[in-house]
Each structure stands twice: as C-alpha cells, then as structure tokens.
Amino acid sequence: MPDSRPDSKLDLLQGTLELMVLQTLATMGSLHGYGIARRIEQVSGDEVLINQGTIYASLVRLQQRGWISAVWGTSDNNRKAKYYAITAEGLGQLAKDSAYWLRLASVMERVLAMPKEGDV
Amino acid sequence: MGAMREAVARIKSFFAKEERDADLEAELETHLELAVEDNMREGMSAEEAKRQALIRFGGVQQAREQQRVARGLPWLDVLLQDLRYTLRTLGRERAFTIVAVLILGLGIGANVAVFSVVDTVLLRPLPFAQPQQLVRILSKNMKGGESTATFSTDAVQEIQDRNKSFQSITGYFAFSGPDNLKLMGNGQPKPVTELDVMGNFFTTLGVQPILGRLFTLEETLQHSRPVVVLSYNFWKRQYGGKPEVVGQVIRLNDVPVTVIGVLPDTFDFGSVFSPGARMDMFGPVIPQDIREEGNTIALVGRLKPGVTMAQGQAEADLIFPKLEFNVQHPEYGSAYTARFLELKDFVSGKLRRSLIVLWCAVGMILLIVCVNLSNLLLSRAAARSKEFALRSALGAGRGRLVRQLLTESFVLSSAGALLGLAIAWSLAAYLAHQGSIALPLLSSVRIDGIALTWTVLIAMTTALIFGLVPGMKIAAGNLQDGLKDGGHGSGTGAKRERLRSTLVISEVALACILLVGAGLLLRSFMKVLDVDLGFEPSRAAAISVDMKPIPRTADRKTFETIQWAQWQEVVHRAEALPGVEAAGIADSLPMSRNRSWGVSVKGREYKKDELEATFVYIVSPGYMRAMGLHVLKGRDFTWEDGPSSDGAILINETIAKHLFPGEDPLGRMVQAGGDDKRVIGVVADMRETSAEGDAGWQMYLPASQDGPEGAQLVIRTKLPQAALSATLMTMLRQINPDQPAVELKPIQNLVDHATSPRRFFVYLVSVFAALGLFLAALGIYGVISYSVTQRTQEIGIRMALGATMARVKWDVIATTLKLAAIGIVLGTVGSIAASHLISSLLFGTESTDPVTFLAMVLVLGTVALLAGYVPARRASRIDPMVALRNN
C-alpha cells in the first residue's frame, strides 16, 4: 500500500533510475551528472527518494552497456565537466523500456482498481 | 551482446582503476561546486549552501563505492583484498606458515611423484602407435623361463603365414646378453649390447627412425650385408649425435657393419621389454642362423583393427595345435600353445597391485596432512577468535570470515603445491635415471601436464578439506564469545578440544594402517633377502670374457677342443692370481639370462607334461666353488671331462627327485640337449629367476660338449673386488688383446636387480609410514600442548591446592595415551581390513603377522608418549603463583 503521507518519499524500483536518466538525456540532449540529477529531481517534484550521488553508478552502468556516451567538456561557468549523451542504441533501449513500464503501469492500475466482489 | 560488452568494459575498468577514480573525483567536485552555486543563488550562506549540497548528494564515500561496484569486478577486488590480508597475516606468523607449507609440500610432493610413476607405468599408453592393438604372444606353460615363452623361427614363420587376426606378427631374439659385441676401432674395443629383431619389428610397433632407414627385406634374409640401427642414447653417447654416422661402416667383433639409421628418443626397448637393460643397437634376425637353436624368438603381434583379443585367442587355439612341430612331435604334447596378453599388461600388469598400494599409502599421507593442518588451523582460529569477533563486530559477515579462512588455506595449499612440485620433480628426475631398478618404463617418468593437473587438483581438494573444518567452526560458533575474555573453559572451548582430539585419533589410526602396511612389506622383504639362494653371492663377482675367435671352418669336435683349452687357460690363470680363492666360467648366470632345454632318462617313455623345461648352464670346472654352489652327491666337473671324454652332466636335486625317485642318480644315463650324458653329481637347488620363485629344474654341462657363445668368468675372493678388476683385465688382455673394457661386477648386483622392484616399493612405503608417524606425533604434540596452554590456570589452581608435579605430569601423559590408544585400536581394525589388499604382495609373511602388529603398537605408543611428554613436563613446571597472577 503506498503511503499517502506527504512527507514520505518513494523508494526507487530496480532499474528505474537508469530509465529516468535515459529519458532525461533523450529530451534534454547532452548533460553533466549534476544537471541530470537536478532535472530528475525537478520533474519528479521531489517525490522520489534519491541521493544525487547514486546517479554516478547508474551512469557507469549505462555507459558500459553502450546506451550513453560521455565526453569531457566545459560547463557554462567554465568548469571542467563530463557530458553525457544518449546513443542510438540507448534510444532504442529507452523505447523498449518505456513501453514496458507503461504497459506494466497500466496493468498495475487495472489490478489495483479492481472492484470488490459484490460491488459488481 | 550488452552483457558481453559490459563484461569487457568491467574488465577494462578493473585495470584502469586510477584513471576512473580520477574521473569520478573530478565529476564529484564539479557536481558539488555546481550545487553550492545553485544553493547560493537561492540565497543561502556559503556555509549553508555547502551543507545542503552535501545532504542532497548523500554519502560521497558511498557514491564512490557504488560506482566502483558498478563499473569493475568487485569480487576480484574482494579476493585481492583477502589475499593481501592473508599474505600479511601469514607473513607475520612465519613459524606457522613454514611448518604448514613444509607439511603440505611433503604430502603433495609425495603424491605427485607417486602419481607420475603410476601414470607412466599404468595409465599412460605405451609409446607406440595404437598400442592397444599390440599383443605379446606367450605360451600357456611358461615354467622354463624365456625358452618356454619364445618360439622357434620355423614356428614363427608358420604363425605368420596362418594367422588372420593380426596385421603383422614380429619378434626379437630373446637371449641377447649385455655387452655381447665389441665395437672395434680407435684403441681398446668397446663392449656394446646388440639385439636382433625381426625385419618388421619397428614397423609393427610403429617406430620410425629419426635418421636414415630401417631394414630392407633383403637385409633380413641373409648375412651378405650386415646392418644395424642405433638407439638414440648410444648415438648420442658414442657418436655425439652426429648425423654423418648413418651410412658409415663400423666394426663389430671382426665384422664390418653398416649403420643405416638412428631410432627416436621415445623408443626405449629395455624399459618396455626388459626393465633395467640398456640396448645400444639393433640388427636383423637372420632366421637361418638361429634355426637350430630352438625357441629363441619373443613374439609380438599387432591385431587387425576391430579384432578383439578374444577373437585372436580363439583363432590361435585352432591354429597352434596344427603347427608342424606339434604335429610331428606328439610326444611333447602341444609344445606350442598361445596365450595372448595385451602388451601393456605384459609390461606393467604385475606391478598394478604394488602401484595401487603405493598410491593408497600416499593418499593416506595426504589425508594425515589434511588432518594435521585442520588441527593447526583450528588452534590458530581459536587463538584468533578475538580478531574474528572484532571483525564481525565491525560488520564483516560470517561468509566473509569463512571466505577469509578458505583464502588462507588456498594460499597455504598453493605454496605447498609449489614446494611439492619441486620435490616431485626432483624425485621423478632421480627415478628416471635409476637404471638399477627393474621397473618398466621408469626411464620415462616425468612431471607432465597431467601430473600438473593432478597437483592442482589435490592442492585444491586439500585446501578445501583442511580449510573447511575451522571454517565450519566459525560458521557455527558464536563469534561474540570470542570477545568475552578468551572464553577459556567455556562450552565452545570444550567442543573444539573434542574435535581436535577426534582429528588426532584419526591421524593416529591412519598412521597405524601405514605402519602395519610398511611393516608387513618390510618383513616380506627381509624374508626375501633371507632366502637361501642356493649360491653365495657375497664375495663372488663376474666379468665378461671375450674369447679369441675360433675359425668358422672348425668342425664341432675341433671347435670344442679349442674352446675347452681357452677356458682352461683363463680359469687356471685366474686361479693363480693372488687373492682368488676359486674361479670358473659359465655361459650365463642365474637371475640374468634364462633359457631351458629338455632332459629325460634315457630309454624311458614319458607322458605329456610329465617333464619340465630345464634351465641349463654350460660351465667349467671351478664354477661351482666360485659361485658357492654345493655339489651334494657325486663330483664336480674336472678338466678331464673334456671333448674326448664321455658326456657328463650335473643335475639339481629337483631333477633327481623327479627323474630318479628313490633311486641313486649317479652313473645313470640321461638325454639332454639331444645327446646322451652320464649323471656324475647332484647339485643343490638354486633360485633361478628370483628369490621368491621356485627352483625348478636345473642342469649343468661342461663347455666341452656344447659350445656356448658368451662366457662369464666368476671368481670368489676375499679381496675388495675393485682391487682385482685391473689385474683381471690385464690377465684377460694377455690372453686376448681384443678383450673389451668391461667391469668386474658383484654377483650380488644380479640379486639386487632381481629384488629391486620389491626394494623400491618397500622403501617408498616405509618412507611414507615414517612421514605418517612423524605427522601423527606432531598432531599429538600440538593437541596436548594446546590443551596444556588452555588449562594453565586450572593446573595452577590444582598445584596450589597440593597436586604434585608427578601427578600433573601423569595426568597429561594419560590423556595422550588415551588418544593414542583409541587411535591404535581403530587403526588395528582398519589395518586388518586393509591388509588383504597387500596380502598378494607378501612373501613368507601372513597379513595378520603378530610381530608386525605388536611392533606397530610399540612404535606408535612410544612416539605418542614422547610427543605427550614434552607438554606434560611443561605442565608440571607451571608455577601456580605465576599462572594465577597472569589471569
């Protein structure tokens, strides 16, 4: 049962952070780690329990699978930063994973909305 | 695909750790700076901005760790970490490490060495092409030595023609003695050993020359163009491995012979067909030349593909009764029969049981080593319980601790394996050069890939066995106990001690089985050495005599007259040498060459199988005394028994008993070797082929009646034999300037050679038993010593309350003896169960020999007592005040 108290945050399910990263990079283009973390926080409306530091393990995983690429560059305020971008393969994976998530979510929705027996 | 790429990426990262770490550090720095800037933009103070940034980031250290786990090979990191830790720990406890590695090295080394022998002799196929097709063709009745295991050239021809099961049948002349030819050339003639083989011998075995060629058909049919092929070793030794030797003409005796080829290093005739013998060169068997000599060819066949031994045997059972000789001489029964034996079985079949026993013995050593190390590690684990408790309190899981222990045992085991390999390698190298041990294939013993695999396998198994016992203790025990003041005398301590006692008991029991096995084999060996051989090898020595060639034109009578005179000259001059008590010549010596003829009472009919093949020695007067043979009845030969006198013969007791039961054989006429002979004496039986075997039928003929080829001068002397060697050589050279340089060899060498396989096994098993005993003693000492240390306080109290030193000492010794006694009882039961395995190897000793068992109990008891005495003495010297104060 999801806790509805406003002060509680959602624990991330396995693999969801990766999906969020891919989606962020797909929509925002090239970004550094801090940018990605901020963007996810903003979009999730601070509902997700996430330490920004966690993002770096995900970035390594995605990079090792060849779904994102990384280059060193300079940030707006002249800082050395590593910029990540989604690859063609990453786009494919994103399409696959998001389709899966949406399907799962709709199934979950239907199951949880199941009326009690006798209510029919 | 993705998984594969990830794996590759992880491996890459593993080796680029520093670079990746630097990258991450730069990223983290940027991240925090950007976050701080954002926060300040929102109006926070610098300090607050930094604080908030860190909070949002989470643990920096954790992020680093997470990234490392995600990108690299975390298990390998942990393993390396464990390894580093292990090496540090072991380095600190140097004494423990050295003892453990030594014990393991000995155990693993012995195992690998024995394995390489077992592998070479039993497991590895013979070094020939398709060796499983090769069959040694023997006779069913083989009581008369080589002569009954060999075939005449006519029979061989018939067998070759008639058989359908074999691709080819080949053989070699079975009676070549060592140093049978002399290589003439620069300076003194050099003795060489040559063996005649049938023309298709090498092709049948599948041996190709590395230089030159093999015999042509023409060369195997006539003597017109004598040729030889050289063995690899002789080629290296005599001709320095120069390829030009092929095609050269060398002089053997007085005959020019062409060298046509060199055989490969892998072909060692001696080690397969005649263990311990050295062969220098091979010539072709010329059938006409040996046609009249009877059974001389040892047969080897190669079965056609798909034909089984049983099919071949069935066919032979049909063919052999129809062989010409069998048809023409029904009075001999079926002289020629066939028994097929896979060549591999012929070579090493007899050794199988000995080697398996050896293998078991060495396996037991490994078990004892494991038990010993379990014990060592267990007491170490006890000593380290505080460390483990601390690590556990700091968050190390039980699994992690067990893994740490296993890492330690694997490291120890690997070090032990390295040491063991070095030991095994030197042992193998040593064994490969022991020409005096009559074990087949021994010369090819080496540490090869299979032996290496075996090493790794036993090292890993050992590590698992001895690492798991203390590991399981950790897994099961309550780690926190370790923090509670050492836990002396607590429940776990007592349990641990019980486990240690059980280990020691099993160690003692294993050592006990080893001791009994070694004891029984040793007793058998003593019995073998004690056997009355019928001759006296001590103080007797023999030297090969090269007689001056007698013209080929001489008829038999002339030949014999010349030869008899030559022999007489040699013997008389040898007898005249200072220090020589007796001298005599024989054409062959016991326990070396063995051949047999027939003997029967003249004019009497015998039923089939009533007569036995009879070993024959052609000798000169003086030989009996020189050899220490006893003429029991009648007289020895004299020089009067020359070619012009009637044929005379000496028979042994066994013949006399069979041919003349209840009668006096002296003066009776017998037929031997086709001639009539008069029995002039009866000689004591002697051991013909081995000390363990029966005497069989033996007869002696003077050289005046059957001209032999070889001649061995046997002398009996009180002088050191080496002192006589040069004098004898000078004397022989005076008679025949072409006498090659040969050594005077003690007759004892022949006996030693015959008993060498038994000596070899007894020696090894005894060494293993001693090792087992030592390890068991170490185990007992370890356990008792540990328990004394654990109980220091208790003993102190007891002494303070008035227990005497003697009392304390006795208590400790009693504990020791109790452990030893239980181990001995269990071991005795085990020994009785195991002794049937070696019963067939025993000679003159029962497998339940009470002397052996009693000796084992005494030895083990004494050793246990000694091992327990040292800690007992220490216990009795505990100063109660010091013991109490220390706590």
Side-chain angles (χ1 to χ4, degrees):
Chain A
M1 274 282 114
D3 200 322
S4 51
R5 280 173 297 169
D7 58 341
S8 76
K9 291 191 177 187
L10 292 172
D11 268 329
L12 275 184
L13 288 175
Q14 189 80 35
T16 37
L17 185 56
E18 267 93 346
L19 186 53
M20 289 182 194
V21 171
L22 283 180
Q23 176 66 31
T24 308
L25 289 175
T27 50
M28 304 285 297
S30 188
L31 269 181
H32 46 59
Y34 176 70
I36 300 170
R38 280 299 298 149
R39 186 68 196 153
I40 293 175
E41 278 177 350
Q42 283 162 7
V43 171
S44 72
D46 288 341
E47 257 195 279
V48 176
L49 178 75
I50 171 184
N51 286 330
Q52 291 177 350
T54 333
I55 202 103
Y56 289 97
S58 297
L59 285 170
V60 158
R61 263 194 291 273
L62 291 170
Q63 207 184 336
Q64 286 186 333
R65 287 170 200 159
W67 296 340
I68 63 172
S69 62
V71 280
W72 281 100
T74 323
S75 72
D76 305 338
N77 29 22
N78 237 352
R79 264 197 196 82
K80 205 175 149 228
K82 204 181 208 175
Y83 281 88
Y84 296 91
I86 191 161
T87 61
E89 232 177 299
L91 283 172
Q93 189 66 32
L94 174 62
K96 231 164 69 187
D97 285 358
S98 45
Y100 172 80
W101 261 103
L102 292 176
R103 257 180 78 196
L104 185 64
S106 78
V107 169
M108 286 307 290
E109 205 173 0
R110 279 202 306 264
V111 169
L112 296 174
M114 199 160 36
K116 270 188 190 150
E117 237 174 310
D119 286 0
V120 188
Chain B
M1 201 52 215
M4 184 71 189
R5 190 157 48 189
E6 187 178 339
V8 173
R10 275 173 182 268
I11 293 168
K12 270 194 208 153
S13 309
F14 179 76
F15 289 106
K17 225 174 260 166
E18 283 170 24
E19 192 191 322
R20 301 291 154 101
D21 277 349
D23 272 16
L24 180 65
E25 284 314 309
E27 278 192 276
L28 296 185
E29 201 179 315
T30 309
H31 185 115
L32 290 174
E33 281 173 10
L34 289 172
V36 169
E37 274 171 28
D38 273 2
N39 288 347
M40 284 173 75
R41 216 171 292 136
E42 281 172 28
M44 296 183 201
S45 68
E47 202 151 311
E48 180 62 12
K50 197 168 174 193
R51 208 176 69 87
Q52 282 300 327
L54 281 172
I55 289 172
R56 314 261 340 230
F57 189 85
V60 177
Q61 188 53 39
Q62 258 159 306
R64 285 194 191 109
E65 205 49 55
Q66 275 174 1
Q67 207 236 23
R68 271 179 212 141
V69 168
R71 80 175 183 218
L73 302 168
W75 54 269
L76 192 56
D77 276 324
V78 171
L79 184 68
L80 287 178
Q81 211 179 321
D82 276 354
L83 270 179
R84 268 193 294 272
Y85 182 79
T86 299
L87 291 178
R88 251 200 332 269
T89 324
L90 293 179
R92 245 193 337 259
E93 295 171 52
R94 205 158 298 153
F96 161 79
T97 309
I98 290 174
V99 169
V101 170
L102 266 180
I103 293 175
L104 275 164
L106 284 174
I108 295 177
N111 265 276
V112 174
V114 167
F115 173 78
S116 58
V117 173
V118 170
D119 178 48
T120 310
V121 179
L122 288 189
L123 308 179
R124 212 187 286 162
L126 290 175
F128 303 127
Q130 257 102 52
Q132 73 286 353
Q133 293 175 345
L134 292 171
V135 175
R136 181 82 163 81
I137 302 170
L138 296 159
S139 190
K140 281 177 182 161
N141 166 25
M142 281 181 34
K143 270 186 144 176
E146 284 288 6
S147 294
T148 46
T150 48
F151 297 83
S152 71
T153 51
D154 286 344
V156 173
Q157 186 64 53
E158 274 193 83
I159 297 167
Q160 281 179 328
D161 291 346
R162 290 178 185 229
N163 97 86
K164 291 189 182 62
S165 308
F166 289 91
Q167 299 177 47
S168 63
I169 290 179
T170 188
Y172 59 92
F173 183 76
F175 297 99
S176 280
D179 300 337
N180 54 354
L181 290 178
K182 53 192 169 174
L183 179 64
M184 322 278 275
N186 324 328
Q188 291 298 340
K190 194 181 159 69
V192 294
T193 306
E194 192 258 11
L195 180 89
D196 287 340
V197 299
M198 290 177 62
N200 59 347
F201 185 70
F202 296 113
T203 47
T204 302
L205 294 182
V207 174
Q208 290 298 321
I210 52 162
L211 280 178
R213 59 175 177 85
L214 299 171
F215 312 117
T216 62
L217 183 63
E218 194 201 4
E219 284 160 350
T220 63
L221 291 180
Q222 49 201 336
H223 246 319
S224 56
R225 219 153 59 88
V227 291
V228 289
V229 291
L230 305 182
S231 79
Y232 184 87
N233 284 333
F234 185 72
W235 174 58
K236 282 276 175 199
R237 204 171 57 234
Q238 180 69 22
Y239 299 103
K242 290 202 187 88
E244 301 88 78
V245 73
V246 173
Q248 272 181 25
V249 175
I250 57 174
R251 291 185 65 79
L252 291 176
N253 289 0
D254 280 326
V255 185
V257 175
T258 312
V259 175
I260 58 166
V262 176
L263 294 168
D265 190 18
T266 48
F267 178 72
D268 186 352
F269 180 91
S271 89
V272 175
F273 294 98
S274 168
R278 185 200 82 221
M279 293 295 163
D280 297 327
M281 54 181 72
F282 300 85
V285 163
I286 310 289
Q288 284 99 300
D289 290 4
I290 53 170
R291 190 166 185 178
E292 302 302 320
E293 290 183 28
N295 296 343
T296 51
I297 304 291
L299 275 189
V300 177
R302 180 181 285 280
L303 287 168
K304 283 180 180 159
V307 176
T308 64
M309 293 269 289
Q311 286 166 337
Q313 181 75 61
E315 193 203 38
D317 288 343
L318 288 176
I319 291 178
F320 276 65
K322 295 177 191 147
L323 291 178
E324 204 59 34
F325 183 88
N326 284 343
V327 172
Q328 289 194 356
H329 298 278
E331 74 273 21
Y332 285 96
S334 277
Y336 288 124
T337 52
R339 183 164 70 91
F340 287 0
L341 206 56
E342 198 178 318
L343 188 58
K344 177 82 192 179
D345 279 341
F346 171 76
V347 171
S348 55
K350 274 179 253 162
L351 294 170
R352 189 165 295 138
R353 184 154 287 241
S354 302
L355 283 173
I356 287 172
V357 166
L358 202 59
W359 211 359
C360 291
V362 89
M364 273 194 213
I365 288 292
L366 201 61
L367 267 182
I368 298 183
V369 163
C370 286
V371 173
N372 228 302
L373 278 168
S374 299
N375 240 332
L376 273 175
L377 285 186
L378 210 54
S379 40
R380 214 164 135 265
R384 286 166 74 192
S385 55
K386 273 202 179 133
E387 173 206 329
F388 282 128
L390 198 66
R391 288 187 65 188
S392 152
L394 290 178
R398 237 175 257 280
R400 188 71 205 270
L401 292 182
V402 171
R403 195 162 58 192
Q404 176 66 46
L405 278 175
L406 278 180
T407 310
E408 284 184 18
S409 40
F410 274 102
V411 167
L412 285 176
S413 206
S414 307
L418 281 181
L419 178 65
L421 264 184
I423 294 174
W425 185 83
S426 9
L427 271 176
Y430 170 76
L431 284 179
H433 292 97
Q434 285 307 295
S436 59
I437 303 175
L439 280 186
L441 305 168
L442 201 62
S443 65
S444 49
V445 166
R446 60 176 184 270
I447 304 298
D448 57 4
I450 298 178
L452 280 179
T453 316
W454 181 250
T455 313
V456 173
L457 203 73
I458 53 178
M460 294 300 110
T461 316
T462 315
L464 263 183
I465 296 176
F466 75 74
L468 271 183
V469 176
M472 270 159 22
K473 276 274 129 198
I474 292 288
N478 184 352
L479 286 167
Q480 306 314 327
D481 278 357
L483 282 178
K484 290 185 209 140
D485 197 32
H488 289 306
S490 69
T492 16
K495 236 190 273 168
R496 193 171 274 150
E497 207 164 311
R498 207 153 48 233
L499 176 65
R500 287 163 56 83
S501 300
T502 315
L503 288 176
V504 162
I505 289 170
S506 49
E507 212 170 10
V508 171
L510 284 169
C512 177
I513 297 175
L514 275 175
L515 277 177
V516 167
L520 290 174
L521 290 173
L522 198 64
R523 289 263 292 166
S524 300
F525 186 57
M526 296 307 209
K527 288 264 167 67
V528 169
L529 294 185
D530 244 16
V531 160
D532 180 6
L533 296 167
F535 57 92
E536 291 160 23
S538 57
R539 300 201 290 112
I543 188 166
S544 303
V545 180
D546 188 60
M547 296 295 177
K548 275 178 289 188
I550 299 168
R552 277 182 170 270
T553 49
D555 61 77
R556 183 171 159 185
K557 205 80 190 168
T558 320
F559 180 92
E560 285 168 356
T561 310
I562 300 173
Q563 187 180 51
W564 191 240
Q566 277 196 18
W567 279 32
Q568 187 167 11
E569 187 187 2
V570 172
V571 172
H572 279 162
R573 292 187 63 167
E575 280 172 340
L577 292 176
V580 172
E581 290 170 28
I585 292 179
D587 67 330
S588 62
L589 299 172
M591 299 197 176
S592 58
R593 195 158 82 140
N594 61 68
R595 68 154 171 202
S596 55
W597 294 355
V599 66
S600 58
V601 177
K602 188 172 153 52
R604 197 176 291 176
E605 293 286 318
Y606 288 94
K607 288 197 291 285
K608 185 181 159 182
D609 294 335
E610 208 172 339
L611 296 174
E612 283 193 21
T614 307
F615 295 109
V616 53
Y617 294 90
I618 295 170
V619 303
S620 78
Y623 172 77
M624 297 290 166
R625 269 183 302 132
M627 199 64 181
L629 279 159
H630 301 291
V631 179
L632 302 173
K633 225 184 226 182
R635 64 170 178 90
D636 190 3
F637 296 123
T638 68
W639 294 106
E640 303 303 312
D641 297 307
S644 50
S645 73
D646 287 344
I649 187 172
L650 290 166
I651 57 175
N652 75 341
E653 283 177 276
T654 303
I655 297 185
K657 216 179 321 167
H658 278 89
L659 291 189
F660 307 103
E663 304 165 48
D664 183 6
L666 291 186
R668 301 286 296 272
M669 295 302 286
V670 294
Q671 276 201 309
D675 294 323
D676 293 350
K677 321 268 181 195
R678 184 176 302 280
V679 177
I680 61 163
V682 177
V683 183
D685 286 348
M686 78 173 172
R687 306 284 167 159
E688 166 65 41
T689 48
S690 69
E692 295 100 317
D694 293 333
W697 292 27
Q698 293 149 2
M699 64 184 177
Y700 302 85
L701 299 168
S704 57
Q705 292 156 7
D706 285 280
E709 277 183 13
Q712 295 284 325
L713 172 64
V714 180
I715 57 150
R716 177 159 293 272
T717 177
K718 277 200 184 113
L719 294 179
Q721 286 159 4
L724 213 54
S725 196
T727 329
L728 267 172
M729 192 47 86
T730 316
M731 188 270 287
L732 292 173
R733 287 241 162 87
Q734 281 166 2
I735 298 171
N736 175 14
D738 281 342
Q739 165 73 37
V742 284
E743 274 175 72
L744 180 68
K745 290 188 183 128
I747 296 292
Q748 187 62 45
N749 280 7
L750 296 173
V751 183
D752 289 348
H753 186 72
T755 51
S756 60
R758 190 178 279 276
R759 185 188 302 270
F760 173 77
F761 288 120
V762 166
Y763 182 73
L764 282 185
V765 173
S766 304
V767 167
F768 296 153
L771 196 59
L773 187 64
F774 169 72
L775 290 176
L778 202 66
I780 293 172
Y781 170 79
V783 165
I784 299 299
S785 188
Y786 177 77
S787 100
V788 166
T789 311
Q790 294 286 78
R791 290 167 49 210
T792 304
Q793 193 187 350
E794 177 209 323
I795 294 172
I797 292 173
R798 283 180 54 199
M799 291 182 84
L801 292 177
T804 60
M805 278 169 78
R807 176 77 211 173
V808 169
K809 205 191 279 182
W810 169 246
D811 278 355
V812 176
I813 288 177
T815 318
T816 314
L817 287 181
K818 200 176 83 192
L819 289 184
I822 301 174
I824 288 174
V825 168
L826 289 176
T828 307
V829 175
S831 305
I832 292 170
S835 61
H836 72 93
L837 182 68
I838 60 166
S839 59
S840 69
L841 303 176
L842 300 180
F843 174 81
T845 313
E846 289 295 316
S847 63
T848 51
D849 181 42
V851 176
T852 306
F853 278 84
L854 202 67
M856 175 273 293
V857 172
L858 276 177
V859 168
L860 253 178
T862 313
V863 167
L865 203 62
L866 285 176
Y869 182 75
V870 181
R873 226 169 71 119
R874 190 155 55 81
S876 70
R877 302 229 165 135
I878 288 173
D879 182 340
M881 291 327 289
V882 176
L884 293 176
R885 208 176 312 127
N886 272 357
N887 219 51

